Amino acid sequence: MTEVQKKKRRKKHYLLRLIIIVAALVAAGIVMHIDYFDVNGIAVIGNEDISDDEILHLSGIETGKSIFDVHPLIAEHKIKKNLYIEDVNVDRKLPNKVEIKITERKGNAQFMMGKKYVVTDNEGQVIDISSEEAQATLVENIKVTDASKGRTIKVEDKKQLERALEFIKMTEENDLFFKRLNIEKNNVEAHVYDELVCVGKYKDFESCIQSGTLKSVLYDLYQKGTEKGTINVYKNDYCFFTP
């Protein structure tokens, strides 16, 4: 076989392979868009405060379209535009299901900036700025100098901010919630209700919270329907209630 014949044969082989590849791609495209692979169920898991409808709207995923037209990374990027969402995972479940797992970012603290409420997570990242008060602990004695969504809140005293966020995180981890919080140096004033307040030193609060002592006292007052008075937090895990 001459060199020219060999070249012609190789060209035929290449052309045949190209035809086979193109045919395979066309066939795959047709198969991928048959009704069998149309999305007929989307499960949203892990969300509490954000509605399923909001997440589905952000994702852009729709039923009736091929599951192969669902691009997880693109959908995840779209969903994360909601700052209350910390993490998201979109998973295609062949042949026709999609699962969206959500981890919400909690608005744990809020601060006043003029007449606006600035809501942040435990790291100080701004989640929302609103004229309405949120369901989060209001830190009263910290002056906000600047705030914008998606960025860390700016305040006059960073150490004071860090301590307040640390305190709120500690209460959250121990299943406690305070409506308002004021920390001046080492002194803490934490309001359970408008007229039921806990007062004491930061270290004593830390000890009483972690030991469960303060939680027990608050639960007892809750059972009695008490919403007014002062809980003094002392050393050695001791709390004393004064009506």
Side-chain angles (χ1 to χ4, degrees), residues 5-199:
Q5 290 175 322
K6 288 181 180 179
K7 287 182 178 180
K8 287 183 178 180
R9 189 172 183 179
R10 283 198 293 268
K11 287 181 179 179
K12 288 181 179 179
H13 286 168
Y14 292 147
L15 181 59
L16 180 60
R17 288 176 185 173
L18 179 60
I19 292 171
I20 292 172
I21 291 171
V22 171
L25 290 173
V26 171
I30 293 172
V31 171
M32 288 164 61
H33 288 84
I34 62 176
D35 293 347
Y36 180 70
F37 293 108
D38 286 351
V39 176
N40 64 14
I42 307 171
V44 182
I45 301 170
N47 54 315
E48 295 179 4
D49 298 324
I50 308 169
S51 69
D52 290 1
D53 288 343
E54 168 70 8
I55 293 167
L56 291 175
H57 174 72
L58 288 169
S59 73
I61 301 172
E62 299 177 7
T63 57
K65 293 187 176 181
S66 173
I67 195 170
F68 297 105
D69 290 333
V70 175
H71 303 288
L73 292 179
I74 294 175
E76 289 168 5
H77 177 73
K78 290 179 178 179
I79 293 170
K80 280 189 174 180
K81 288 181 179 179
N82 186 318
L83 295 177
Y84 278 99
I85 296 174
E86 183 174 355
D87 195 23
V88 57
N89 180 65
V90 176
D91 189 17
R92 295 184 296 191
K93 302 284 187 180
L94 293 175
N96 50 23
K97 307 292 183 186
V98 176
E99 184 178 85
I100 303 175
K101 291 183 179 179
I102 298 292
T103 301
E104 293 180 339
R105 177 179 285 111
K106 298 296 183 181
N108 305 95
Q110 60 184 331
F111 308 82
M112 293 301 299
M113 183 174 67
K115 294 183 179 181
K116 297 287 187 179
Y117 293 92
V118 180
V119 183
T120 76
D121 62 10
N122 280 330
E123 305 304 319
Q125 179 175 324
V126 178
I127 299 173
D128 195 17
I129 301 174
S130 173
S131 58
E132 296 182 3
E133 188 172 356
Q135 293 295 316
T137 301
L138 176 62
V139 184
E140 299 182 309
N141 61 317
I142 291 181
K143 186 174 181 179
V144 178
T145 57
D146 189 30
S148 56
K149 289 184 180 181
R151 297 181 179 274
T152 301
I153 189 172
K154 293 183 180 180
V155 300
E156 282 191 347
D157 192 331
K158 289 184 178 180
K159 289 185 178 179
Q160 192 178 35
L161 171 66
E162 290 173 0
R163 195 156 222 205
L165 293 176
E166 181 184 71
F167 184 91
I168 292 171
K169 183 178 181 180
M170 178 173 60
T171 60
E172 180 189 13
E173 289 173 347
N174 289 274
D175 197 27
L176 290 173
F177 174 79
F178 292 104
K179 185 176 180 180
R180 303 201 315 270
L181 176 66
N182 191 313
I183 301 179
E184 290 284 356
K185 295 183 178 179
N186 197 38
N187 299 311
V188 176
E189 182 181 292
H191 286 258
V192 182
Y193 303 111
D194 288 334
E195 296 185 90
L196 179 59
V197 60
C198 303
V199 296

Side-chain angles (χ1 to χ4, degrees), residues 200-209 233-237:
K201 300 296 184 182
Y202 188 96
K203 289 185 178 180
D204 297 336
F205 260 94
E206 187 175 30
S207 177
C208 284
I209 289 175
V233 180
Y234 296 110
K235 295 180 180 179
N236 303 317
D237 296 338

